[in-house]
Amino acid sequence: MKKILITCSIVLSGLGFAQSLDDNSYVYEKTPVTQEDTFPGNPGDPNASPIDQYIPFLLLTAIVMLIVLKRKQKTV
């Protein structure tokens, strides 16, 4: 009985705090967004990640490593 009472009180308190008058309680001030604004999601320099230039080399290295490991397993 005690568990049911505690569970109901937690659910009711959660429902009470969930009712907010504001649309988004995490935004405190609303400022207009323009095209010049930069956010982490905006695309920046297309070559910003240096690993992008090495993807073919990394793929080839992975294939060679698989071949070497498979040959080593066959000989053992």
Side-chain angles (χ1 to χ4, degrees), residues 32-49:
V33 178
T34 62
Q35 287 285 4
E36 293 82 27
D37 291 341
T38 57
F39 296 102
N42 284 356
D45 183 18
N47 295 323
S49 180

Side-chain angles (χ1 to χ4, degrees), residues 8-71:
C8 288
S9 65
I10 290 173
V11 169
L12 286 175
S13 67
L15 289 174
F17 285 116
Q19 302 299 321
S20 175
L21 298 176
D22 192 18
D23 292 335
N24 189 353
S25 61
Y26 298 106
V27 177
Y28 295 108
E29 57 186 52
K30 297 181 181 185
T31 58
V33 178
T34 62
Q35 287 285 4
E36 293 82 27
D37 291 341
T38 57
F39 296 102
N42 284 356
D45 183 18
N47 295 323
S49 180
I51 199 168
D52 287 344
Q53 300 163 358
Y54 300 111
I55 288 177
F57 173 72
L58 292 172
L59 181 63
L60 183 65
T61 305
I63 291 171
V64 169
M65 287 175 63
L66 284 172
I67 292 171
V68 169
L69 288 174
K70 288 294 182 180
R71 284 189 179 181

